Amino acid sequence: MHFIRPVWLTHGGEKKDFEVYSCHISPDGNRLVTAAGDGHVRVWSTDAIYNAADPTSTRPRQLASMSYHSGTIHTVRFSSSGKFLASGADDKIVCVYALDPNPPSHAATFGTNEAPPVENWRIFRRLIGHDNDVQDLGWSYDSSILVSVGLDSKVVVWSGHTFEKLKTLPNHQSHVKGLTFDPANKYFATASDDRTVKIFRFTPPGPNSTAHDQMNNFILEKTISAPFVASPLTTYFRRCSWSPDGNHIAAANAVNGPVSSVAIVNRGSWDGDIHLIGHEGPVEVCAFSPRLFSKQPIESLPRGPNGQLIPNFVTVIACAGQDKALSVWITSNPRPLLITQELAVKAISDLAWSPDGKNLFVTSLDGSITTVVFEEGELGYSVSIEENEKALAKYGGGRRGAGFIEGPSGLLLEERSKEGEIRGVEGRMGALMGDGVGQPATTNGDNQSSRPPNMLVNGTNSAADARTEPTPDSKPQETKDPHAAKLERLKQRVTITKDGKKRIAPLLVSSSGAAESSLPRTQLLASASNGQSAANDAPKTILDLSKPFDGLPKGGLAALLLGNRRKLAPTEGEEEGHAEKKLAAASRNGAVPIVSNTVDGLVQAQNTVPVSGQVPTPEFIRPAILNASLITSQVRLAVPKVRSIVVGGFSSVPESNPQPNVSAEPAVNGNSVVTAPMDLMFEARNPTGPSPTGRPEDREPSRLAVTRRGQPVWQDFLPRSVLLVTGSQDFWAAACEDGSIYTWTPAGRRMTSAMILESQPVILESKDSWLLCLTAVGICYVWDVKNDSSPHPPVSLAPILDIAIHSLQAHTTKAPAVTSAHVTSEGRIVVTLTNGDGYAYSPSKYVWQRLSEVWWAVGSQYWNTADSSVGNLNSTTTSSAGQGAPNVSAGVIPYLEKQTTNETLVRGRAYFLQRLVKQLLPREGFEGLESSVSIAHLENRLAAAMMLGAREEFQMYLYMYARRLGAEGLKPKVEELLRILLGDIYQDSEEMGASLDQAIADRTWDSSTATLCGWPRKDLLKGVVLILGKHRDLQRITVPYAKLLRVTEGSSEADHIMET
C-alpha cells in the first residue's frame, strides 16, 4: 500500500487551498471529479494521478473545470452510466453536466493560470427544487433517477432522463446530510440530523414518467433511529454507503453508548447489532468498495460441480471523519484492516473507490486530495463483477446490458420501434401544450359510434343518465375547454427585455426521452369536466352494461349462507323438543307456521298488537311475501319491499344514431349541469288500500303504463303486486312478488306467457334484447327475449359468495353483499361484491370467473382505475381495417377494478393485506413479488378482455403486456406470445365467415382463426414486434417475425450501407 498526493492535485487559492468537500470516480475509472469551496467542479485524469511520480509523464492532469455555481459546492457525483455528472452547492441549485464529444471551443479562463480544458463538459440542466444548501446527491444504479438532499430537510427525486422533478419527500424533520442507493435498485437511504436513517422503496421510473405518474412511488419503507439517538449534530456530513452485495448499509455518525461508531444495518429487517468502533471523533463518511473480495486467489477457490465459484466473499469498507483518521475494515475480521492517523490536517469530507476496488481517494477540508493505492492481496483478491450481479439476483437486481444488434434488420427494427414511441411523445407534448383540447378523449375502449342508450331502471329518475333527443338538423356542438384560452395566452405571452426588445416567453413543459416506460402512466384527458374530481373518479368510457339497479340498499344486497340443518332455538323453561311438537300440531290442518330465522336458530313468531286509526301510505306498502323455497335454500338474498309506485325509463335514441357530444355523465357547462329527461317512462302502480271484498287474496290489480313525454302509449293490468320493472329499446319487463316475470313489446303486446321462478326477484336488469333476473335464493336467469331463448341454464351465486369455504353448520353465516349485478350486450352476467371481488359468468365453461380482486389492487403496479390505467399505447400500432366492428363489453374491466378500489382501498378494508405485502417485499425469496404480481395482473386483464370480447381493451392490455415483458427481458414468455399471435395470419378472413360463432371462436389464443378478439392477428403481431424491437437482447426472437411481417422492408439501401 502506498499514498499518492501530487502537489498539483488541489483547488488552489491565492493564500491557501480551498476546502475540498466531495470527490467521485467515473464508472470507467479514468476520471476523478472533485468539488470545493472555490465554486469549481474539476475533472482530473486518474492515469496522471497514478503516474504522478514519473517526471517524464506528459499526460494531461486536469481535464476540465466548471464554475456554474455561485457558492461552495458540497457534493459531486457521476451517473452510473457515465453520461452525466451532477453537483450540488449552497446556492440551492443542482447542476447536471454532459460531456460534449466535440473539442472545447475556448482556452483557459482569462486572468488565471488554469490549464486549458481537454474535455468539453457542458452544463445540461440546472435543477431548482431546494430551499437551502444541497448537501449530498446520488444516482440510482440504472441512472433512472437522481436524488438530492439538503439542509431544507427535503429529499428531492429527479428523473434521470428528463430531469423533471418527480417527487419531494418531506419525511425528515431536520437537515439531510447523506444518501446512498441500493445496488439492486430497489431502495435508497437518507441520513439526517433528526437522528434517523430512512429507507425509501422505489420502482425505477420510465423515460416518459411524470410527477403524477410517481404519486405512489418512492414510499417510506422504514425509519431507523436506534443507533443514532445520541449522535452529535456537529458533523458536516452523514454520508452512508450500501454494500455491493446489497446485504448491509453502513451508517455514519452512529453511537454505541458514549463511543462514536459506524452502524451496520441489515437489509430486510433493517436492524443490526454490529458497530465499527475505533474512531475518536464522529465518523462523517463511509464507503464500501464496489467489488467483492475473497481471502484466497481466484484460482484456488473451491468450485461447484459445474465449475462455478462457491460464494464465500467478503466486503471492504473505508470510514473517516472528524478525527482525521482513515480506517479500512473487512467483514471477515472484527478488527480494522488498516488505521491511518493524521492523514489530513482537518476533517476528512469524502471517500471514493475506483471501480476495480484497488484505489481509494480521500478528500479533506484542508484542501488535500490523497490517493491510497492497495497492492494485490492486501485487501484480498477481487472477484469478477458478475459475482456482484449473482449476489444481487436474490434481491431482484441485476443490470441488463445494452446487448448486441442482431444484424442490420435488428437495427432497422429498433429504429422503427423508437420512431413510433417518439410520435407518442410528440402527441403527449401536444396534449400538455393544450393542442386539440376541443376533441373529446377516447379512453378504455370508448367508441363514440357504439354508444348505448341511457335508461332509468327500477324507479330511478336521475337526469345524469339522460340523453338529449335528436333533431333532424342537429349538429354536434363543439366542446369548449375553459383552460384552452389560458393555455393559448401562456403560449403567446410577450415580455420586454432589458434593452426594450419584445420576446415571446416560452411555456415551460417537461422534456421527454426517446423511449416509453413499461409502467402505466396517466393518459392526458382534455375533456370539459377535467376540473370535476367526482367525474374523474369514474372510468372515462361508456360501459357495455345494463344500468345500475337503484333499489339496492346502502352497503349492497345482504346475503346469508345457511348450513344443511336448521333447528329451533331452545326456549328457557320448556323441555327439549316442545317447540317442534307445537309447530307440528299447528301444521296438521294445512296451516303453515311462521318462524323467524335468527342466529340462534328458528324462533316462533310473536303476536303483535294491531295498529288502530288511519295510517299514512309509506314509500313502500309492505314486505313481499316470502316463498317457501327460502326455507331449504342455502343462499338467501334480501327481497325488495312492495312499493306503491315503481318507475323505469330510457331514451329512445337508437344506437345507430348517437349524439356525438352526449356522454353517459352529465356535461358540464360552466357551473350548470346540462341534462335531458327520459322520453319513455314505464310506471307500475300497486294497490295501496284494503281489499274491496274484505278478503286479503282479493286485491286490486296493479296498473302498468308506458308514456312518451307524458302521453300514454299503452296500458296493462296485473293481478299481482309488481316489485321491479326494466326496459330497453326491444322490450319491457316487470317482475312480481310471486316470482313471475312478464314481458311486452315496445307497442305493448305480451311477448310470452308469464315465466314463473322459484322465488322472488331481487334484481331485474336489461340490455338490448337480454333480460337478467336475480332471485332471492341466489339464482341468476338470463334470457334472450327477442329469440325466446337462454344462453345457459340458471346459475347460482353460491360459488362466488364463498360458500365453499364455510363448513356445514346449523347457524347462518353472513356472506359478502351484492353491490351490483348487470348484463352485457352479449348476455354475460357481471356481479360485484362488498369484498371487492368482481365476477363474470362464462357460458362456454359454465363457471364463474373472478376478473377483479383486492390482491391486484395492493400488489400490482398497474392498478389505477381513476386515470385510464391502460396508458396511451397506440403510438407504435397501425390502423386496422376492422375499426367499424362493435366494441363489445367496453369498460367492464375498469368498472370492476374501480368497484374493487371503492370497496377495499378507499374504505380501508385492504389495510392488513397492504401491510402483509409491504413486509414481504424486502424478505428473501419475495424480491420479485411486485414484478410477478404486476405481470400476472396484466395476464388476468388479457384473459378477462378476451372472455368478455372487449376488443379495444384487449389490444391496449396486450401492448402493455408486451412492453412489460420487454422491460423484464422474459424471453420464454416473449417467444410464446409471438408464436401464438402468429397463428394463421395469412388465412383469408372472408373464408372464415363472420357469424356469431366465428366471433366467439376467435376468443382463444390457440384458435385457428385469422383474428383474435376481433383484431387481425397480423396487426396485433406487428404492434407487439414494434414494441419489442428496441430491446436488443430480444432481437434474436423478434427479427424473424419482423422480416415475416416486412416491417424492415424498403431499406435495402441502408442494409447495403451497413453491410459494407
Side-chain angles (χ1 to χ4, degrees):
M1 178 189 71
H2 62 277
F3 297 88
I4 303 175
R5 185 182 290 177
V7 178
W8 47 265
L9 187 58
T10 181
H11 287 248
E14 295 181 359
K15 297 182 179 181
K16 65 171 186 177
D17 294 338
F18 287 96
E19 300 90 344
V20 182
Y21 289 96
S22 183
C23 66
H24 200 235
I25 299 295
S26 63
D28 58 7
N30 296 329
R31 301 176 183 88
L32 167 69
V33 60
T34 58
D38 60 350
H40 282 71
V41 173
R42 302 183 188 273
V43 182
W44 312 87
S45 170
T46 56
D47 197 15
I49 297 174
Y50 300 148
N51 297 277
D54 184 4
T56 62
S57 176
T58 58
R59 298 178 179 88
R61 298 171 179 176
Q62 181 173 299
L63 303 179
S65 175
M66 296 85 76
S67 59
Y68 293 97
H69 287 285
S70 59
T72 300
I73 304 176
H74 295 148
T75 177
V76 62
R77 295 289 183 263
F78 279 104
S79 66
S80 303
S81 62
K83 182 179 180 181
F84 298 110
L85 172 65
S87 62
D90 61 4
D91 59 359
K92 312 172 189 177
I93 303 296
V94 175
C95 290
V96 180
Y97 314 90
L99 179 60
D100 192 337
N102 299 320
S105 58
H106 59 280
T109 306
F110 179 77
T112 65
N113 56 357
E114 293 275 351
V118 178
E119 296 181 341
N120 191 9
W121 286 90
R122 294 181 174 273
I123 187 74
F124 186 75
R125 289 286 190 277
R126 289 169 60 89
L127 310 180
I128 302 174
H130 283 276
D131 301 327
N132 209 330
D133 300 4
V134 180
Q135 285 294 101
D136 203 3
L137 51 81
W139 299 80
S140 63
Y141 274 74
D142 61 353
S143 299
S144 61
I145 61 172
L146 168 67
V147 177
S148 59
V149 299
L151 300 185
D152 55 358
S153 307
K154 292 181 181 178
V155 178
V156 183
V157 183
W158 312 87
S159 170
H161 306 280
T162 64
F163 296 101
E164 176 186 356
K165 184 197 295 185
L166 297 180
K167 198 169 188 179
T168 299
L169 307 173
N171 300 82
H172 283 288
Q173 305 302 317
S174 187
H175 309 324
V176 189
K177 296 181 175 179
L179 170 73
T180 183
F181 268 90
D182 170 25
N185 224 39
K186 304 294 182 184
Y187 303 95
F188 65 84
T190 57
S192 169
D193 274 352
D194 59 6
R195 294 189 170 97
T196 63
V197 169
K198 295 186 183 294
I199 311 296
F200 295 91
R201 177 167 53 89
F202 74 98
T203 301
N208 283 335
S209 295
T210 63
H212 184 71
D213 298 330
Q214 305 303 315
M215 290 178 62
N216 297 323
N217 204 353
F218 310 108
I219 304 301
L220 178 62
E221 180 76 13
K222 184 70 174 180
T223 298
I224 306 169
S225 58
F228 315 102
V229 289
S231 62
L233 303 179
T234 58
T235 57
Y236 207 77
F237 300 107
R238 290 174 178 258
R239 285 174 168 155
C240 42
S241 180
W242 213 302
S243 63
D245 58 0
N247 289 331
H248 305 97
I249 302 174
N253 201 10
V255 291
N256 188 3
V259 182
S260 297
S261 67
V262 175
I264 304 298
V265 180
N266 298 319
R267 183 194 185 103
S269 60
W270 310 117
D271 58 2
D273 52 1
I274 301 177
H275 288 260
L276 307 182
I277 301 174
H279 284 270
E280 298 177 357
V283 177
E284 295 196 21
V285 56
C286 306
F288 272 102
S289 172
R291 301 295 286 271
L292 297 174
F293 290 85
S294 65
K295 296 181 180 179
Q296 305 172 4
I298 305 301
E299 296 77 14
S300 59
L301 289 177
R303 295 181 179 270
N306 296 328
Q308 75 276 11
L309 293 175
I310 298 178
N312 188 21
F313 307 129
V314 295
T315 56
V316 175
I317 181 175
C319 307
Q322 291 185 358
D323 60 354
K324 298 163 282 188
L326 171 68
S327 63
V328 179
W329 305 71
I330 189 168
T331 52
S332 62
N333 195 338
R335 296 183 178 274
L337 192 67
L338 165 69
I339 300 177
T340 303
Q341 300 285 351
E342 302 297 332
L343 184 61
V345 178
K346 294 184 179 180
I348 295 175
S349 58
D350 205 358
L351 301 172
W353 288 91
S354 61
D356 58 5
K358 297 179 180 179
N359 307 303
L360 177 64
F361 295 84
V362 184
T363 61
S364 171
L365 297 183
D366 62 0
S368 63
I369 303 172
T370 306
T371 305
V372 184
V373 180
F374 296 94
E375 303 296 338
E376 184 71 22
E378 288 183 335
L379 301 176
Y381 299 89
S382 62
V383 298
S384 63
I385 196 66
E386 286 76 12
E387 298 299 330
N388 288 38
E389 297 180 357
K390 291 179 182 178
L392 295 173
K394 63 181 179 179
Y395 299 122
R399 290 164 288 176
R400 298 166 55 219
F404 296 96
I405 292 290
E406 293 290 332
S409 299
L411 183 59
L412 291 173
L413 176 60
E414 183 176 350
E415 291 177 354
R416 287 291 307 276
S417 176
K418 291 183 177 179
E419 283 176 5
E421 293 190 347
I422 290 174
R423 288 195 298 270
V425 169
E426 291 174 349
R428 181 168 170 265
M429 292 288 289
L432 279 171
M433 294 294 294
D435 297 339
V437 294
Q439 300 176 359
T442 301
T443 311
N444 285 351
D446 186 1
N447 191 350
Q448 298 287 345
S449 63
S450 60
R451 197 182 296 269
N454 296 341
M455 69 188 76
L456 286 171
V457 183
N458 294 340
T460 179
N461 57 359
S462 171
D465 294 331
R467 183 184 295 270
T468 55
E469 180 188 1
T471 57
D473 299 328
S474 62
K475 296 182 179 180
Q477 299 179 359
E478 296 183 0
T479 304
K480 296 183 179 180
D481 188 352
H483 303 290
K486 182 178 179 181
L487 281 172
E488 191 63 27
R489 290 195 300 270
L490 288 174
K491 291 161 64 175
Q492 301 295 333
R493 185 174 56 186
V494 178
T495 58
I496 301 177
T497 60
K498 294 181 179 180
D499 55 0
K501 296 182 179 179
K502 293 184 179 181
R503 295 288 184 267
I504 295 179
L507 175 63
L508 178 63
V509 296
S510 301
S511 303
S512 298
E516 288 195 1
S517 170
S518 62
L519 296 178
R521 60 176 173 80
T522 304
Q523 182 168 354
L524 298 169
L525 300 176
S527 64
S529 59
N530 271 351
Q532 305 294 326
S533 59
N536 286 341
D537 287 340
K540 301 298 186 298
T541 183
I542 298 301
L543 299 184
D544 181 37
L545 293 174
S546 55
K547 289 301 166 183
F549 175 68
D550 76 306
L552 295 186
K554 185 177 181 180
L557 192 68
L560 289 178
L561 301 179
L562 280 68
N564 277 354
R565 301 178 182 88
R566 298 298 296 157
K567 297 182 179 180
L568 288 168
T571 306
E572 295 183 3
E574 294 184 358
E575 61 181 6
E576 186 177 357
H578 177 74
E580 286 84 348
K581 294 178 182 178
K582 188 176 181 180
L583 288 178
S587 58
R588 288 178 181 175
N589 298 326
V592 178
I594 301 176
V595 294
S596 301
N597 189 10
T598 66
V599 176
D600 297 326
L602 301 176
V603 177
Q604 299 181 45
Q606 302 296 324
N607 294 328
T608 58
V609 179
V611 180
S612 60
Q614 186 176 2
V615 179
T617 302
E619 293 182 359
F620 66 93
I621 302 173
R622 54 179 169 75
I625 300 174
L626 298 181
N627 195 288
S629 63
L630 289 177
I631 300 177
T632 58
S633 172
Q634 287 187 282
V635 177
R636 297 187 184 180
L637 302 179
V639 179
K641 296 177 180 178
V642 180
R643 292 177 289 178
S644 57
I645 301 177
V646 186
V647 182
F650 79 102
S651 174
S652 60
V653 179
E655 292 192 22
S656 59
N657 185 24
Q659 292 296 309
N661 284 317
V662 180
S663 63
E665 298 173 329
V668 177
N669 184 9
N671 296 323
S672 61
V673 179
V674 180
T675 60
M678 297 290 98
D679 57 348
L680 281 174
M681 304 298 294
F682 187 20
E683 182 181 83
R685 291 185 176 269
N686 293 315
T688 58
S691 172
T693 63
R695 298 195 311 167
E697 60 268 21
D698 297 334
R699 300 173 185 164
E700 293 183 5
S702 299
R703 183 164 57 90
L704 295 91
V706 173
T707 59
R708 182 190 299 272
R709 303 183 191 91
Q711 299 299 320
V713 177
W714 60 266
Q715 181 176 270
D716 201 350
F717 296 90
L718 293 177
R720 299 163 183 86
S721 297
V722 176
L723 291 181
L724 305 169
V725 297
T726 186
S728 69
Q729 66 270 22
D730 295 324
F731 67 95
W732 298 103
C736 300
E737 66 171 332
D738 65 343
S740 56
I741 306 290
Y742 295 85
T743 57
W744 295 266
T745 63
R749 175 180 59 85
R750 294 207 181 190
M751 302 181 70
T752 61
S753 301
M755 296 180 287
I756 309 302
L757 308 182
E758 77 288 340
S759 61
Q760 285 76 19
V762 295
I763 293 179
L764 190 69
E765 300 291 344
S766 60
K767 176 69 175 178
D768 296 342
S769 64
W770 298 97
L771 177 63
L772 166 68
C773 181
L774 181 59
T775 66
V777 294
I779 302 297
C780 295
Y781 293 86
V782 177
W783 301 283
D784 185 351
V785 177
K786 292 184 68 174
N787 297 320
D788 200 17
S789 62
S790 178
H792 54 76
V795 56
S796 174
L797 286 181
I800 67 174
L801 294 178
D802 297 335
I803 197 170
I805 65 176
H806 293 288
S807 60
L808 297 179
Q809 53 189 353
H811 299 299
T812 58
T813 304
K814 190 175 182 180
V818 179
T819 55
S820 68
H822 305 281
V823 62
T824 70
S825 60
E826 283 194 338
R828 305 292 176 92
I829 308 172
V830 178
V831 177
T832 61
L833 306 178
T834 51
N835 60 6
D837 292 352
Y839 298 88
Y841 187 75
S842 173
S844 60
K845 303 183 186 72
Y846 297 106
V847 70
W848 288 100
Q849 290 187 281
R850 186 185 293 112
L851 306 188
S852 176
E853 58 180 318
V854 67
W855 173 248
W856 307 126
V858 299
S860 173
Q861 297 168 328
Y862 292 88
W863 189 272
N864 195 351
T865 55
D867 67 357
S868 96
S869 79
V870 292
N872 184 13
L873 300 174
N874 295 321
S875 58
T876 61
T877 62
T878 57
S879 60
S880 171
Q883 294 293 334
N887 184 17
V888 180
S889 297
V892 175
I893 300 172
Y895 167 79
L896 294 178
E897 293 187 352
K898 179 179 181 293
Q899 294 298 317
T900 302
T901 300
N902 293 339
E903 293 293 338
T904 57
L905 298 182
V906 174
R907 300 186 183 183
R909 297 176 181 174
Y911 173 72
F912 292 102
L913 187 57
Q914 286 175 316
R915 287 184 58 186
L916 172 64
V917 173
K918 185 177 180 181
Q919 293 174 3
L920 288 178
L921 286 175
R923 286 173 50 183
E924 185 174 352
F926 292 90
E927 300 80 13
L929 175 66
E930 198 170 27
S931 175
S932 299
V933 173
S934 300
I935 293 175
H937 181 213
L938 290 178
E939 292 170 347
N940 181 76
R941 279 179 166 180
L942 276 173
M946 184 177 293
M947 189 269 287
L948 293 171
R951 182 175 180 270
E952 302 292 336
E953 291 174 18
F954 176 79
Q955 185 201 46
M956 293 182 181
Y957 293 146
L958 176 65
Y959 292 159
M960 290 176 71
Y961 182 59
R963 198 178 303 280
R964 186 57 182 260
L965 292 184
E968 297 285 346
L970 301 178
K971 294 183 180 180
K973 287 191 175 183
V974 169
E975 192 171 1
E976 180 187 57
L977 179 63
L978 294 176
R979 187 183 71 252
I980 60 179
L981 284 178
L982 180 62
D984 297 329
I985 62 174
Y986 292 106
Q987 186 173 358
D988 190 359
S989 58
E990 295 181 357
E991 297 177 1
M992 300 297 298
S995 63
L996 179 62
D997 294 338
Q998 174 60 34
I1000 298 177
D1002 73 346
R1003 296 184 191 176
T1004 58
W1005 290 103
D1006 296 321
S1007 64
S1008 59
T1009 60
T1011 59
L1012 186 62
C1013 200
W1015 292 96
R1017 287 179 179 265
K1018 186 175 181 180
D1019 292 349
L1020 295 178
L1021 181 61
K1022 185 176 181 180
V1024 171
V1025 168
L1026 286 175
I1027 288 174
L1028 297 173
K1030 65 179 180 180
H1031 300 283
R1032 296 183 179 179
D1033 53 340
L1034 300 174
Q1035 285 185 353
R1036 187 165 295 179
I1037 302 174
T1038 56
V1039 166
Y1041 289 92
K1043 291 181 178 179
L1044 177 65
L1045 297 171
R1046 300 179 180 179
V1047 173
T1048 58
E1049 276 195 0
S1051 303
S1052 58
E1053 181 179 356
D1055 287 350
H1056 176 71
I1057 293 175
M1058 285 184 286
E1059 290 175 356
T1060 56

